[in-house]
Each structure stands twice: as structure tokens, then as C-alpha cells.
Amino acid sequence: FIDSQGESHPAADDAHEQPPVHNSVASTEMAPAVTTSKTDMAFEEAAVQRVRASLAMDSAVDSRIRMCPLFKECPYDFVEEIIGCMRKHLWRKGQQIVAEGSERQSMFFVFWGSVELSCQGEKVKELAEGDVFGEALLLDIVQEWPFSASALAPTMGCEVPRHGFVEACQEHPAAAKYFHGVFEAYARPKRDWASFRRCAALRHCSEAFLRELNEHCEHRVLFP
């Protein structure tokens, strides 16, 4: 423009050098927008639900194990080790869990569903949520399953294997002493066949008969 004195000056916009404009692909290309498909969203939601369900199940397992009469009086750290060695199972309807006569030394917890116990093909008992079976195998009181166990419906359960139980006892002498007492309490009636003579109906039976009767009895230890 021309000022009042008649001198020309460059335009104000030209007074400052403008940064160069690069028309290269690198400078004008924008990063692609991240989009989430409905399938991805559904998968992520399902994963979150599985995590939540797993956490809830872990909490339920912890609570159930600590409330189990067999472990209720045991030290906290000992029960933690028992929980750490447990195996979770989901059995379909009709699936056999253990077979009669097998040597699988484990104890089982039923968390939901139902389990049928049978001996020589005859139903003995039906177990439901909160029940346990196999304590004698876990404590090595018996070495073979005296019955078969099968799921009557889709069933969730946990297994405590004997090797994990033994390792936990080795780390916790107080718990080992406690379970030795349980073993003795269970085994004593089985050895003491003569206690049958206290029953008036059996008082005059022969020793051989009482021994045979004792062998076929079910011996159990009940916890408060």
C-alpha cells in the first residue's frame, strides 16, 4: 500500500514469513479411526462377564472350603494351600465322576448340581449343593472307592487331590497332628469289632460273625 508520504510498503500479511506448506502424503495423511464392531463389543462384554463369574466362583470356593467341617478348625494358611491345589470340574448329566473300586485318592465338593452315589449298581445316596464325598480316600483311611459317583444334572464341583493335601500337612505340623487324630478316630471303631457285644441282639454271636459284620459296616467320623 502507499502511505500518506507517497511511499509504498509491502502488505502486512507479507511482513512475516509464512511457514512452508508441505503437500507430502506423510503430512496430510491422518491415522485411521479405531472402530469397534458389534462382534468385538459382544466378545469384550462376554469376557468381562466371565472374569466376574470367575471371581465370584473363587470367592464362593474359598468360603465353602473354610466352612467345610473337615477344614473348619485348620489354620488359615493351611486352608489357603488346600484351595491352591484344588481342581474345578464341570460334569455333564450322566457323567461318571469316580468308579467303584478305583484308587483315585481325592475328596470332592459339590458346589451346584446333584450327584448320585451307587454301590454295585444300586443307588445309595443323592448329594446336593454343599455336600462333600471322598473324605476317607483323602485321609488314606480306605484305598479304594466303595461306591461310584455320577452327576444327575449339570454339576459344578471341586476336587482336593491327596498329594496336595499331604504337601500342605508337611508344611503345617499342627494340621498334620489334627488329621492324625481324625484318622485314629475313624480307624478305632473298625478295629474294635468287640464293641458289637454291647448290643443285646448281638451279645451271643460268634467272634467270626462279629468280625464279618464289622467288615461290612460303614464307619464314619462326624464333625460338629
Side-chain angles (χ1 to χ4, degrees):
F1 65 91
I2 300 175
D3 62 13
S4 58
Q5 303 298 324
E7 296 181 1
S8 63
H9 297 276
D13 290 342
D14 299 329
H16 301 284
E17 184 179 356
Q18 299 298 317
V21 177
H22 299 285
N23 294 320
S24 65
V25 175
S27 62
T28 58
E29 191 177 68
M30 298 180 63
V34 177
T35 58
T36 304
S37 67
K38 291 183 179 181
T39 302
D40 291 338
M41 292 177 64
F43 178 81
E44 291 175 2
E45 179 64 25
V48 170
Q49 293 298 330
R50 284 196 296 269
V51 170
R52 289 175 178 171
S54 179
L55 292 174
M57 177 57 68
D58 289 343
S59 177
V61 168
D62 187 282
S63 177
R64 289 281 179 84
I65 300 305
R66 295 188 188 282
M67 291 173 60
C68 172
L70 188 63
F71 299 123
K72 191 166 58 175
E73 302 299 325
C74 295
Y76 183 90
D77 291 345
F78 174 82
V79 180
E80 281 291 300
E81 291 200 35
I82 293 296
I83 293 172
C85 76
M86 290 180 63
R87 304 167 183 162
K88 296 178 184 176
H89 296 280
L90 182 60
W91 299 296
R92 63 182 182 276
K93 180 179 179 180
Q95 182 176 352
Q96 187 177 74
I97 301 170
V98 290
E100 182 177 352
S102 64
E103 299 179 357
R104 185 176 179 178
Q105 290 186 299
S106 297
M107 182 177 76
F108 295 88
F109 291 81
V110 180
F111 282 95
W112 50 261
S114 57
V115 173
E116 179 183 274
L117 306 183
S118 61
C119 183
Q120 297 181 358
E122 296 292 330
K123 181 177 179 179
V124 176
K125 191 175 183 180
E126 184 174 325
L127 305 178
E129 179 178 336
D131 289 331
V132 298
F133 59 101
E135 305 99 305
L137 275 295
L138 183 73
L139 300 177
D140 201 32
I141 295 170
V142 296
Q143 286 71 46
E144 294 183 354
W145 281 87
F147 51 79
S148 295
S150 301
L152 287 174
T155 301
M156 169 72 186
C158 284
E159 175 185 3
V160 180
R162 176 164 169 79
H163 67 81
F165 171 76
V166 170
E167 290 175 2
C169 284
Q170 291 173 345
E171 295 294 325
H172 299 273
K177 183 178 180 180
Y178 167 72
F179 284 109
H180 179 72
V182 173
F183 178 88
E184 286 297 310
Y186 188 103
R188 192 177 303 117
K190 197 163 187 177
R191 294 194 304 262
D192 189 15
W193 59 267
S195 61
F196 282 114
R197 292 196 184 279
R198 299 172 190 161
C199 174
L202 302 174
R203 191 169 297 159
H204 300 291
C205 294
S206 67
E207 177 180 325
F209 176 83
L210 294 179
R211 286 183 182 277
E212 182 71 16
L213 180 64
N214 188 51
E215 286 299 317
H216 289 84
C217 283
E218 179 183 355
H219 301 275
R220 302 197 69 180
V221 176
L222 302 179
F223 298 87

